[in-house]
Amino acid sequence: LTMFTNCLLPNISPEGLMSSGLLGCLSSNHTMAATTGRAHAISLVALLFSAATTGFAYLSSVYSEALKNELGLSQDNIDTISMFVGAAGFLGVVPGRIADVLGSRRAIAFGGLLQSLSYSGQYVVARKMFEAVRPLYALCFLNFVSWVGVATTAAASFAALSRLYAGHQGLVVGVGKCWVGLIGALATQGYRGFAPSTSDATDIDFILVLAAVALAHTWLAALALRPA
C-alpha cells in the first residue's frame, strides 16, 4: 500500500493521504449542507409566497360595499355569502386530501388556479357582463370555489413547511400564519396607494388584481419549490 501510494502521490505520505481524504469528506459534507440549506431557504420563501394568497380571503370588506351598490345586494346578502363560505369549512378534509394526492407543488398551483378563477368570476359578475346570472347565487358558488383554492393552497404550503423543518414545525407554521395575517393589510394598503377608493368601479377592480396576484404568487412559488 505504501509503495502504491508513493508511486501515485510521491509527495504525500499515507498519513497525509488519510488526512486529505478526511478533509475531502468533511468538505463534501459542508458543501452538501450548504446546498441543502440554500434549497431549504428557497423553499421557505416559495411556501410563504404561496401561503400569502390565503390572506386574500379576508379582503372581501374592501369591495363588499361596491358589490351592494352595483348589484343591488343587501347586507343580509353579503352576510349570506360569508356564512356560505364559512360553512364550507366543514369540508376541510377535501382540500387536505387534494394536497396529499397531488403533492405540494401541484397542489399549490391548483389552489392558486382555483383562487384566480374565482376572483375572475366575481369580477365578471360584479361588472354585469352576463345579465342572466343571478348575482347572489353566483357569488355564493364562486366564493366556495375560492375557499377550496385557499384551503388547498394552505394545506399544501403548511404541510410542506412542517416536513421541511421537522422539529421546528410550530415555529415555521407560526411565522407562516403571521405572514398570512399581515399580507391582507399589506395588499390593501398597497392597492389603495396606487388606486385610492374614489368609486365603486375602483373597488371592484381590486377583485381583478387579486385574481392576477393569486395566480402569479402560487405558480411562481410552485416553480421555485424544491420538494415535490
Side-chain angles (χ1 to χ4, degrees):
L1 177 60
T2 301
M3 291 176 61
F4 180 76
T5 301
N6 288 338
C7 287
L8 293 180
L9 301 170
N11 296 324
I12 302 179
S13 66
E15 293 80 9
L17 182 62
M18 292 178 62
S19 176
S20 176
L22 178 59
L23 289 176
C25 181
L26 291 175
S27 176
S28 177
N29 289 341
H30 177 73
T31 302
M32 185 179 299
T35 302
T36 301
R38 191 179 305 112
H40 279 199
I42 293 173
S43 295
L44 174 62
V45 172
L47 290 169
L48 291 178
F49 213 59
S50 63
T53 63
T54 65
F56 295 170
Y58 305 114
L59 303 183
S60 60
S61 59
V62 175
Y63 51 85
S64 60
E65 192 66 29
L67 291 178
K68 290 194 293 184
N69 295 335
E70 291 292 317
L71 301 175
L73 300 176
S74 65
Q75 184 58 47
D76 287 341
N77 294 148
I78 298 298
D79 293 340
T80 297
I81 296 170
S82 298
M83 289 181 63
F84 187 86
V85 175
F90 288 108
L91 302 176
V93 65
V94 176
R97 182 57 181 162
I98 292 174
D100 286 340
V101 172
L102 296 181
S104 299
R105 184 178 287 111
R106 286 179 292 178
I108 287 172
F110 176 69
L113 178 62
L114 288 183
Q115 291 180 66
S116 184
L117 290 175
S118 170
Y119 291 126
S120 298
Q122 292 179 59
Y123 178 80
V124 168
V125 172
R127 287 295 191 186
K128 301 179 182 179
M129 296 181 181
F130 294 99
E131 294 290 345
V133 175
R134 303 186 69 173
L136 179 59
Y137 298 153
L139 290 175
C140 283
F141 172 74
L142 289 170
N143 274 274
F144 174 78
V145 173
S146 176
W147 170 83
V148 175
V150 166
T152 301
T153 301
S157 298
F158 289 112
L161 279 173
S162 296
R163 289 193 299 268
L164 194 62
Y165 291 92
H168 302 283
Q169 294 95 330
L171 177 62
V172 294
V173 171
V175 170
K177 292 299 292 182
C178 287
W179 172 240
V180 168
L182 288 172
I183 195 62
L186 293 173
T188 303
Q189 294 304 315
Y191 179 74
R192 287 295 183 226
F194 287 102
S197 181
T198 56
S199 66
D200 290 336
T202 302
D203 291 341
I204 289 175
D205 286 343
F206 184 55
I207 305 176
L208 197 59
V209 173
L210 294 180
V213 174
L215 188 65
H217 268 225
T218 51
W219 282 56
L220 287 175
L223 289 173
L225 186 61
R226 291 299 185 265

